[in-house]
Amino acid sequence: QLSRTHRVLIAVVVLGAVVIAGIGFAGSYAAVRELAQDKGFGAFAVVFPIGIDAGILVLLALDLLLTWIRIPFPLLRQTAWLLTAATIAFNGATAWPDPLGVGMHAIIPVLFVVSVEAARHAIGRIADITADKHMEGVRLSRWLLAFPSTFRLWRRMKLWELRSYDEVIRLEQDRLVYRARLRARYGRGWRRRAPIEALMPLKLA
């Protein structure tokens, strides 16, 4: 149940997202149209930016719809991300090689795309169609403090479809304790000396 405060906040956020989307579309359209004209697109340069920006919205909406009816097609979202990267690159290219100009041209499309993706994520979670697929990320501080071990942890998390970061940390602690016990029991060459039955839990941790 949404309270009146929640509804007001949602209305403000939606209005702000629409404003950002409108500004982003206007700025992106002008920059990409100019770039397309310079590249010899001719009359097609007028509709080329619309096709890209509309394509992002349509692909994300279609991905949401297919996920809703339980027939997801991941290529839709990946293609939308590719179009997003293309939009940012096209906008940045209009000011190349001026780094400040590239950043100024790219920042609005980034806001637009982030707003769309945030709306898609919120709708999916509210509709309870992506909650079971949500995978928590690894803390940034861990990446900075222990990159090699964090990468191995992140890799196991993805390979074994573990969605809870707290659960992953607990399992990693158990794995390290079990490995220490194997080393204490079989010595420095425990990987060669330990029987396969003792190594199997470590492989499947």
Side-chain angles (χ1 to χ4, degrees), residues 48-111:
F48 179 70
I50 300 177
I52 294 179
D53 291 337
I56 295 173
L57 292 174
V58 171
L59 289 176
L60 289 176
L62 185 57
D63 173 56
L64 183 63
L65 175 61
L66 293 181
T67 304
W68 198 334
I69 59 179
R70 300 299 191 272
I71 50 174
F73 188 54
L75 185 60
L76 292 173
R77 197 174 187 187
Q78 296 166 4
T79 304
W81 288 341
L82 181 61
L83 289 177
T84 298
T87 299
I88 296 173
F90 292 156
N91 278 270
T94 59
W96 185 261
D98 179 16
L100 181 60
V102 170
M104 292 174 65
H105 277 281
I107 190 65
I108 293 298
V110 170
L111 287 175

Side-chain angles (χ1 to χ4, degrees), residues 155-189:
R155 181 175 178 272
R156 295 191 197 100
M157 190 174 181
K158 298 299 181 181
L159 289 176
W160 294 100
E161 293 288 334
L162 300 174
R163 309 191 183 282
S164 171
Y165 176 74
D166 293 336
E167 179 187 4
V168 170
I169 293 297
R170 180 181 58 80
L171 292 175
E172 179 67 7
Q173 291 172 344
D174 292 343
R175 190 186 70 84
L176 293 176
V177 169
Y178 186 75
R179 195 173 89 169
R181 289 176 177 172
L182 288 179
R183 182 165 183 168
R185 181 175 182 181
Y186 296 101
R188 180 171 295 182

Side-chain angles (χ1 to χ4, degrees), residues 7-23:
R7 287 193 290 267
V8 171
L9 182 59
I10 290 174
V12 171
V13 171
V14 170
L15 179 61
V18 171
V19 171
I20 292 176
I23 296 174

Side-chain angles (χ1 to χ4, degrees), residues 1-8 10 126:
Q1 297 293 330
L2 296 178
S3 65
R4 184 176 181 276
T5 304
H6 287 148
R7 287 193 290 267
V8 171
I10 290 174
I126 291 174

